[in-house]
Coordinates of all heavy atoms in Angstrom, one line a residue:
Q187 N -4.6 19.4 1.0 CA -4.4 18.7 2.3 C -5.3 17.5 2.4 O -5.0 16.6 3.2 CB -4.6 19.7 3.4 CG -3.6 20.8 3.4 CD -4.0 21.8 4.5 OE1 -5.0 21.7 5.2 NE2 -3.1 22.8 4.7
L188 N -6.4 17.5 1.7 CA -7.4 16.4 1.9 C -7.1 15.2 1.1 O -7.4 14.1 1.4 CB -8.8 16.9 1.7 CG -9.3 18.0 2.6 CD1 -10.7 18.5 2.2 CD2 -9.3 17.5 4.0
I189 N -6.6 15.4 -0.2 CA -6.5 14.3 -1.1 C -5.0 14.2 -1.5 O -4.4 15.1 -2.0 CB -7.3 14.6 -2.4 CG1 -8.8 14.7 -2.0 CG2 -7.1 13.5 -3.4 CD1 -9.7 15.1 -3.2
P190 N -4.4 13.0 -1.2 CA -3.0 12.9 -1.5 C -2.8 12.6 -3.0 O -3.2 11.6 -3.6 CB -2.6 11.6 -0.7 CG -3.8 10.9 -0.6 CD -4.9 11.9 -0.5
V191 N -2.1 13.6 -3.7 CA -1.9 13.5 -5.2 C -0.4 13.2 -5.4 O 0.5 13.8 -4.9 CB -2.3 14.8 -5.9 CG1 -2.0 14.7 -7.3 CG2 -3.8 15.1 -5.6
D192 N -0.2 12.2 -6.2 CA 1.2 11.8 -6.6 C 1.7 12.9 -7.6 O 1.1 13.1 -8.6 CB 1.2 10.4 -7.3 CG 2.6 9.9 -7.5 OD1 3.6 10.4 -6.9 OD2 2.7 9.0 -8.3
P193 N 2.9 13.5 -7.2 CA 3.4 14.6 -8.1 C 3.9 14.1 -9.5 O 3.9 14.9 -10.4 CB 4.5 15.2 -7.3 CG 4.9 14.2 -6.3 CD 3.7 13.4 -6.0
E194 N 4.2 12.8 -9.6 CA 4.7 12.3 -10.9 C 3.6 12.0 -11.8 O 3.7 12.3 -13.0 CB 5.6 11.1 -10.6 CG 6.8 11.3 -9.8 CD 7.6 10.0 -9.5 OE1 7.1 8.9 -10.0 OE2 8.6 10.1 -8.8
T195 N 2.5 11.4 -11.3 CA 1.4 11.0 -12.2 C 0.2 12.0 -12.2 O -0.7 11.8 -13.0 CB 1.0 9.6 -11.9 OG1 0.5 9.6 -10.5 CG2 2.1 8.6 -12.1
D196 N 0.2 12.8 -11.2 CA -1.0 13.7 -11.0 C -2.3 12.9 -10.8 O -3.4 13.3 -11.2 CB -1.2 14.7 -12.1 CG -0.1 15.8 -12.1 OD1 0.4 16.1 -11.0 OD2 0.1 16.4 -13.1
K197 N -2.1 11.8 -10.1 CA -3.3 10.9 -9.8 C -3.3 10.8 -8.3 O -2.3 10.9 -7.6 CB -3.2 9.6 -10.4 CG -3.3 9.6 -11.9 CD -3.3 8.2 -12.5 CE -3.4 8.3 -14.0 NZ -3.4 6.9 -14.6
I198 N -4.5 10.5 -7.8 CA -4.7 10.3 -6.3 C -4.1 9.0 -6.0 O -4.3 8.0 -6.6 CB -6.2 10.3 -6.0 CG1 -6.8 11.6 -6.3 CG2 -6.4 10.0 -4.5 CD1 -8.3 11.7 -6.1
K199 N -3.3 9.0 -4.9 CA -2.5 7.8 -4.5 C -2.6 7.6 -3.0 O -2.2 8.5 -2.2 CB -1.1 7.9 -5.0 CG -0.3 6.7 -4.7 CD 1.1 6.8 -5.2 CE 2.0 5.6 -5.0 NZ 3.3 5.8 -5.5
F200 N -3.2 6.5 -2.5 CA -3.2 6.1 -1.1 C -2.2 4.9 -1.0 O -2.3 3.9 -1.7 CB -4.6 5.7 -0.7 CG -5.5 6.8 -0.7 CD1 -6.4 7.0 -1.7 CD2 -5.6 7.7 0.4 CE1 -7.3 8.0 -1.7 CE2 -6.5 8.7 0.4 CZ -7.4 8.9 -0.7
Q201 N -1.3 5.1 -0.1 CA -0.3 4.0 0.1 C 0.1 4.0 1.6 O 0.4 5.0 2.2 CB 0.9 4.2 -0.8 CG 2.0 3.2 -0.7 CD 3.1 3.4 -1.6 OE1 3.0 4.2 -2.6 NE2 4.2 2.8 -1.4
V202 N 0.2 2.7 2.1 CA 0.6 2.6 3.5 C 1.4 1.3 3.6 O 1.1 0.3 3.0 CB -0.6 2.5 4.4 CG1 -0.3 1.8 5.7 CG2 -1.2 3.8 4.7
V203 N 2.5 1.3 4.4 CA 3.3 0.1 4.7 C 3.0 -0.3 6.1 O 3.1 0.5 7.0 CB 4.8 0.3 4.5 CG1 5.6 -0.9 4.9 CG2 5.0 0.7 3.0
V204 N 2.6 -1.5 6.3 CA 2.2 -2.0 7.6 C 3.1 -3.2 8.0 O 3.3 -4.1 7.2 CB 0.7 -2.5 7.7 CG1 0.4 -3.0 9.0 CG2 -0.2 -1.4 7.2
D205 N 3.7 -3.1 9.2 CA 4.5 -4.2 9.7 C 3.6 -5.3 10.3 O 2.7 -5.0 11.2 CB 5.5 -3.7 10.8 CG 6.6 -2.9 10.2 OD1 6.9 -3.1 9.0 OD2 7.1 -2.0 10.9
E206 N 3.7 -6.5 9.9 CA 2.8 -7.6 10.3 C 3.7 -8.8 10.7 O 4.6 -9.1 10.0 CB 1.8 -7.9 9.2 CG 0.8 -8.9 9.6 CD -0.2 -8.4 10.7 OE1 -0.5 -7.2 10.7 OE2 -0.7 -9.2 11.5
S207 N 3.3 -9.5 11.8 CA 4.0 -10.7 12.2 C 3.6 -11.9 11.3 O 2.4 -11.9 10.9 CB 3.8 -11.0 13.6 OG 2.4 -11.2 13.9
G208 N 4.5 -12.8 11.1 CA 4.2 -14.0 10.3 C 5.2 -14.2 9.2 O 6.0 -13.3 8.9
S209 N 5.3 -15.4 8.7 CA 6.2 -15.7 7.7 C 5.8 -15.1 6.3 O 4.6 -14.8 6.1 CB 6.5 -17.2 7.6 OG 5.3 -17.8 7.0
K210 N 6.7 -15.0 5.4 CA 6.4 -14.4 4.1 C 5.4 -15.3 3.4 O 4.5 -14.7 2.7 CB 7.7 -14.3 3.3 CG 7.6 -13.6 2.0 CD 8.9 -13.3 1.3 CE 10.0 -14.2 1.5 NZ 11.2 -13.9 0.7
S211 N 5.6 -16.6 3.4 CA 4.7 -17.5 2.7 C 3.3 -17.4 3.3 O 2.3 -17.5 2.5 CB 5.2 -18.9 2.6 OG 5.3 -19.4 3.9
D212 N 3.1 -17.4 4.6 CA 1.8 -17.3 5.2 C 1.1 -16.0 4.9 O -0.1 -16.0 4.5 CB 1.9 -17.4 6.7 CG 2.3 -18.8 7.2 OD1 2.1 -19.7 6.4 OD2 2.8 -18.9 8.4
L213 N 1.8 -14.9 4.9 CA 1.2 -13.6 4.5 C 0.8 -13.6 3.1 O -0.2 -13.0 2.7 CB 2.2 -12.5 4.9 CG 2.4 -12.2 6.4 CD1 3.5 -11.2 6.5 CD2 1.1 -11.9 7.1
F214 N 1.6 -14.2 2.2 CA 1.3 -14.2 0.8 C 0.0 -15.0 0.6 O -0.9 -14.6 -0.2 CB 2.5 -14.9 0.0 CG 2.3 -14.9 -1.5 CD1 2.6 -13.8 -2.2 CD2 1.7 -16.0 -2.1 CE1 2.4 -13.8 -3.6 CE2 1.5 -16.0 -3.5 CZ 1.9 -14.9 -4.2
K215 N -0.1 -16.2 1.2 CA -1.3 -17.0 1.1 C -2.5 -16.3 1.6 O -3.6 -16.4 1.0 CB -1.1 -18.3 1.8 CG -0.1 -19.3 1.1 CD 0.1 -20.5 1.9 CE 1.2 -21.3 1.3 NZ 1.6 -22.5 2.1
K216 N -2.4 -15.6 2.7 CA -3.5 -14.9 3.3 C -4.0 -13.7 2.3 O -5.2 -13.5 2.2 CB -3.2 -14.3 4.7 CG -3.1 -15.3 5.8 CD -2.8 -14.6 7.1 CE -2.7 -15.7 8.2 NZ -2.3 -15.1 9.5
C217 N -3.0 -13.1 1.7 CA -3.3 -12.0 0.8 C -4.0 -12.6 -0.5 O -5.0 -12.0 -0.9 CB -2.1 -11.3 0.4 SG -2.4 -9.9 -0.7
V218 N -3.6 -13.7 -1.0 CA -4.2 -14.3 -2.2 C -5.6 -14.8 -1.8 O -6.6 -14.6 -2.6 CB -3.3 -15.4 -2.7 CG1 -4.1 -16.2 -3.7 CG2 -2.1 -14.9 -3.3

């Protein structure tokens, strides 16, 4: 319950999808 383990790879995996406002190119540039 404490550590999320991916059943396919048996490795710890943290993943989240966040909705953010802005254009695709602006978000790409901010990420880079």
Side-chain angles (χ1 to χ4, degrees):
Q187 294 176 353
L188 298 176
I189 301 173
V191 178
D192 187 16
E194 296 175 3
T195 61
D196 285 335
K197 294 183 179 181
I198 298 172
K199 182 177 183 180
F200 292 98
Q201 181 176 344
V202 160
V203 176
V204 179
D205 291 329
E206 186 66 33
S207 62
S209 69
K210 185 172 33 174
S211 64
D212 289 340
L213 293 175
F214 183 86
K215 289 176 186 175
K216 287 180 182 181
C217 183
V218 170

